[in-house]
Structure formats: structure tokens, C-alpha cells
Amino acid sequence: MNFLGIYREPEFSPGRHVANDAKILRLVGQTLERLGVTVRLATLEEARPQRHDADLIFSMCQGPKAVSELIGWKKSGALILNDPEASRRTYRDSLCSALREKDLGFPHSEFISTIAHPRELDQYHPWFENNAGAWLKRADVHATLPTDVLKLERWSDLNSALVKFRSRGLDKAVLQQHRVGDEVKFYGVKGRFFWPYHPKESEGHPFDDKELKRMAEHAAASLDVSIYGGDAIISPDGEITLIDLNDWPSFAPCRGAAANAIARYLKDTYRAIQNPRATAKV
């Protein structure tokens, strides 16, 4: 077995994520080698001439150009995990549309133009009642800069925030209702690994961790994403709201355990595809 791993593009690994994203890919590669798999790690540019020799490609690429290129490789017969078409479905413009149709308590989200006239924004005024606030998020890829996700405390902040997005060449945004509660992040690998944690100080609202796992796995399965991470909000009464899901995060708080699960998932998936009668857990 010859596997090819592709690093995430630096512009989509902002700040400390550059090192963290590279670490998880290297650890997955090292674990695969201990499992008897020949592994090469490369940037997308380096991978182009090597891809025809790979039995399986595992990619952390997230940018639109890279994902489009990988979709082309897939159509030419390459086996790629995560599936690049699934990676594209985790972009916010697709994610919000998909998850609000599921039983996931996804917060109300609207796509709005960054050139919207202030009068057109009046309909969102109730979202800010009782100091609830809202979030403005770029509508395409996941956040690459802190300014890609803005907390709006007052309705009057909305128009100025849209102006800032428009000045950066972003013509569409997602306006999402704020949910009060604790933030919980989670990491998962299809059928074999799930790790939730509080990324910052929280109130400690109790919640059903099995229900969070069910919701996260349901969301990932609906997008066909096997290696994933995401965010949820736990309300004071324990209600869980899934607010984000992304493909192949850094797994920084649980890197070792995640690398083992990912490597075994990749190898077992390849073996199951080669031998459909095999009983591999994928």
C-alpha cells in the first residue's frame, strides 16, 4: 500500500494552526508506516506528479482552488479522504443550508449581501432584542482570520460590519443568531473516535455527551465527512446547539489518540474498498 498525504495550504492554517495542522498529518503518516503502509507527505504542488502512484490520498486541503483540483483527481479515479466534494460541503454556504434541514438545533442563519441597503436589514432587528446579539461570518470557507467571524452586540453594528466584509472583497455573508451558553468543541473520526472538550473557561452547564456525539456524527454523515471537528453551544438548561462542522481539523488537544484512529480508519477503508467482503470497521 502506497499512501500520499497532502498538507493544508498555509493561507488556510492561520497562526498556530500552521504547526498544528502539519503535526497531525505527520503523526498520521508515522502511524500508517508502523501499520505497514508506505507514506509520502507533500504539498499540493509536490503531490501533483506523485498522485498517480498513490493507492490512497489523504488531504487536509481546504481552499476552493485546491478542493476543485482534488475533485478533478477524484473524477479521474483517485481515492481521496476526506472526499474533496464532502470537504466543499463544509463551507458555510453549503453547511448552513444542509444542517438547518437536520434535527440538530442549528441556529437560525441567513445569507445576506454585503451591499444590502440598511433598510433591507430591518428584518433582523428582532434578533438583537434583549441584548441577544448575532454573528456575522464569511459565507465561503472557514475562518482564516479573526475578522472572518464578528460578534455583533447591537443591531446598529450590522451595517458597519457588512462594510468591512465588502472592503475585503467578500460579497456574501452569513448572519447567525447568537445562542447563550458554554462553547464545546469536538473532534471525530467516523465510527471510532469522538473527543469533546471546553476550549475556554465555562459555566459548566451539564449536558448529555452521548447526545452531542449523536448529533455530531449525524451531521458528519449527512455531509459524508469522515474526519471532522466542530463546535456546539450548551444552554443553561442543557440544550445542545450544533453551530459548526469542519473537515480534518488539527486535533491539537488529542493529537496522539486522533492520529491512531485516523491512520487505522484510512488503512481499513482502503482494504475494505479493495476487498468488499472484508469485515474491516470503516
Side-chain angles (χ1 to χ4, degrees):
M1 285 180 279
N2 295 294
F3 288 7
L4 174 62
I6 305 179
Y7 291 105
R8 181 164 292 148
E9 316 94 302
E11 63 268 33
F12 291 94
S13 291
R16 67 183 185 278
H17 296 294
V18 175
N20 287 338
D21 288 346
K23 284 179 181 177
I24 185 62
L25 201 74
R26 286 197 295 267
L27 278 176
V28 169
Q30 292 167 9
T31 304
L32 282 167
E33 289 177 338
R34 288 196 294 271
L35 295 174
V37 180
T38 299
V39 179
R40 289 165 292 162
L41 302 181
T43 64
L44 181 61
E45 182 178 4
E46 295 167 340
R48 290 182 184 123
Q50 304 179 44
R51 64 186 178 94
H52 298 291
D53 299 324
D55 296 314
L56 180 145
I57 297 170
F58 54 103
S59 167
M60 291 187 72
C61 291
Q62 278 192 341
K65 290 183 179 179
V67 169
S68 294
E69 182 173 348
L70 291 173
I71 289 174
W73 295 9
K74 175 192 171 184
K75 291 179 178 178
S76 297
L79 173 59
I80 307 174
L81 294 174
N82 283 317
D83 184 319
E85 292 181 296
S87 297
R88 176 63 184 83
R89 286 192 285 271
T90 67
Y91 288 10
R92 280 203 179 89
D93 53 2
S94 299
L95 182 72
C96 292
S97 298
L99 295 191
R100 68 187 175 191
E101 298 174 359
K102 309 296 181 183
D103 182 23
L104 298 170
F106 195 74
H108 193 72
S109 305
E110 292 288 343
F111 297 103
I112 59 176
S113 168
T114 60
I115 60 173
H117 191 279
R119 285 196 299 272
E120 298 176 298
L121 305 178
D122 285 345
Q123 61 183 303
Y124 304 114
H125 192 281
W127 290 22
F128 294 85
E129 293 177 354
N130 301 318
N131 299 315
W135 294 86
L136 191 71
K137 304 178 180 182
R138 66 181 298 170
D140 49 4
V141 299
H142 296 284
T144 61
L145 297 169
T147 50
D148 286 343
V149 176
L150 300 177
K151 176 66 186 303
L152 309 178
E153 301 292 348
R154 299 173 299 276
W155 178 80
S156 57
D157 295 334
L158 177 54
N159 187 57
S160 60
L162 289 172
V163 171
K164 292 178 182 178
F165 270 39
R166 185 168 68 247
S167 69
R168 297 173 51 205
L170 303 173
D171 59 0
K172 189 168 67 172
V174 173
L175 183 66
Q176 190 172 86
Q177 283 188 310
H178 176 65
R179 293 293 178 90
V180 176
D182 292 338
E183 180 185 3
V184 172
K185 288 186 174 292
F186 57 83
Y187 299 105
V189 180
K190 181 181 177 181
R192 52 183 75 215
F193 180 82
F194 188 75
W195 184 293
Y197 79 104
H198 290 86
K200 56 188 177 183
E201 185 176 349
S202 65
E203 294 296 327
H205 301 315
F207 67 97
D208 185 342
D209 55 349
K210 292 181 179 178
E211 176 62 8
L212 175 60
K213 180 180 179 182
R214 183 201 68 79
M215 293 172 66
E217 290 181 340
H218 178 48
S222 70
L223 300 172
D224 197 27
V225 179
S226 304
I227 303 165
Y228 60 90
D231 301 84
I233 298 297
I234 312 299
S235 72
D237 62 1
E239 181 183 3
I240 302 171
T241 299
L242 199 68
I243 61 171
D244 197 14
L245 191 133
N246 51 78
D247 69 304
W248 206 318
S250 67
F251 292 90
C254 52
R255 193 178 292 123
N260 182 66
I262 294 169
R264 293 182 183 278
Y265 172 76
L266 295 174
K267 181 178 179 180
D268 289 349
T269 299
Y270 174 73
R271 292 177 63 185
I273 291 172
Q274 294 305 303
N275 180 11
R277 295 183 179 181
T279 58
K281 181 183 178 182
V282 298

